[in-house]
């Protein structure tokens, strides 16, 4: 396939180099068209060496060749990664002030843009309107990933991993795996994500470290595959869910405690073909949550917090089957210990919970919670291995949906 890779000027331009190498390794011919600003981040020789093609940014670089027409007409697929706020604005306005935007006006092949910018820029109404305009015209604007941005800040706006961009872009061009096939069209799915908070008093709670990113990736992947998605979001940052709701049509239900999560999941599950419990749900809650703040009393020992057990939402869903044929999926974040390995704990949990699938992942330093990559082993209700998926959280999400679709009754 002849791919035109547009690169606009942001720090994430370095990831375009990895994307370029990946596409070349997959056997595609790639012509890189950076903007002038992109070349301030990555030099033309890097793109030239890895693509084996000349690189230019200006329409005046090869006037007799009328490059923008030749490049636009000759491409089977255009990928712009990273697409900055400025590039999205220029493309939405139909500007033709450099080689990349001119080429975009000529191209009639699928166009996929992978935005990267700070969260505030991504969420600005101007950017939202530009994205909506481009999508109305058939451009596939991918969701930015959420996570560490250029500085110390985090949020949606990060360039998706090169593997994810390549897969989504090739899917847009009709190449690629099951994620391309919209195999969840006509299905309703519920995904819970985040971590519950159990109030101790009005200002304190018992919580956990779940970032919610795997759950959000599951919701985004299901929406991309055509499903109608309800995301039950336990204490997720607004930015993470607002972008998903605005761009993929996902219904987001915000919850905080396990009781709220349980009610929201069960309400949505009545009409769902699949329910994925990716949320980290507290097993216990304080027996009493006083309405006034607990004060420390000078000289007195702290009052113990009595805990009571929460309902097991996943086990209940597996037992109740709120809709016939519904596929129920759980997650198990495990650490190995003296009593057994990660997988042994996972097997026991799979049998105990009764869910159709249980995605087991090892947590601990640099794995699972808060990271961008994940590595899960999917077991069935008997604890038998179904599949193993490793990669970005989006890749893991797609691997899990692949397993779910195999269990769904046909429609
Ligand atoms: N889960 C749930 N309700 C709970 C606890 C957990 O629905 N009260 C779900 C989680 O969403 C996840 C799965 O059960 O999909 C496994 O969660 P985990 O905390 O690993 O399981 P526990 O049964 O709490 O096991 P452990 O003894 O390891 O804490």
């Amino acid at each position: 396939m002849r791919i035109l890779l547009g690169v606009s000027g942001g720090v994430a331009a370095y990831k375009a180099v990895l994307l370029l190498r990946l596409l070349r390794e997959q056997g595609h011919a790639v012509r890189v068209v950076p903007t002038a600003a992109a070349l301030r981040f990555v030099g033309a020789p890097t793109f030239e060496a890895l693509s084996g093609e000349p690189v230019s940014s200006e329409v005046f670089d090869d006037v007799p060749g009328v490059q923008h027409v030749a490049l636009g007409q000759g491409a089977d697929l255009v990928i712009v990664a990273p697409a900055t706020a400025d590039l999205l604005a220029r493309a939405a306005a139909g500007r033709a002030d450099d080689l990349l935007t001119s080429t975009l006006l000529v191209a009639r092949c699928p166009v996929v843009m992978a935005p990267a910018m700070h969260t505030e820029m991504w969420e600005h109404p101007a950017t939202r309107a530009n994205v909506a305009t481009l999508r109305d015209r058939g451009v596939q604007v991918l969701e930015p990933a959420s996570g560490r941005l250029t500085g110390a800040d985090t949020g949606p706006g990060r360039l998706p991993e090169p593997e994810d961009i390549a897969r989504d872009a090739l899917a847009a061009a009709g190449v690629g795996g099951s994620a391309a096939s919209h195999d969840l069209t006509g299905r309703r799915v519920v995904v819970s994500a985040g971590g519950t908070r159990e109030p101790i008093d009005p200002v304190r709670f018992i919580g956990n470290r779940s970032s919610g990113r795997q759950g959000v990736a599951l919701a985004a992947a299901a929406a991309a595959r055509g499903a109608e998605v309800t995301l039950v979001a336990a204490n997720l940052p607004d930015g993470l869910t607002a972008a998903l709701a605005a761009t993929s049509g996902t219904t987001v239900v915000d919850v905080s405690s396990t009781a709220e999560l349980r009610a929201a999941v069960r309400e949505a599950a009545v009409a769902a073909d699949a329910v994925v419990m990716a949320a980290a749900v507290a097993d216990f809650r304080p027996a009493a949550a006083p309405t006034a703040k607990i004060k420390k009393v000078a000289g007195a020992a702290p009052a113990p917090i009595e805990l009571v057990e929460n309902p097991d939402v996943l086990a209940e869903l597996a037992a109740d089957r709120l809709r016939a044929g519904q596929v129920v999926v759980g997650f198990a974040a495990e650490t190995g210990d003296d009593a057994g390995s990660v997988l042994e704990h996972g097997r026991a949990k799979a049998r105990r919970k009764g869910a159709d699938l249980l995605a087991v992942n090892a947590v601990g330093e640099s794995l699972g919670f808060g990271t961008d990559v994940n590595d899960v082993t999917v077991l069935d209700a008997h604890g038998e291995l179904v599949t193993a998926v490793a990669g970005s959280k989006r890749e893991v999400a797609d691997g899990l949906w692949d397993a779910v679709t195999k269990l769904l009754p046909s429609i």
Side-chain angles (χ1 to χ4, degrees), residues 277 279 281-283 310-314 330-334 349 352-353:
M277 285 291 298
V281 182
D283 291 326
N310 272 330
D312 188 322
V313 183
L314 178 66
F331 265 81
E334 300 288 349
K349 193 170 287 181
R352 201 164 68 231
K353 298 270 185 179

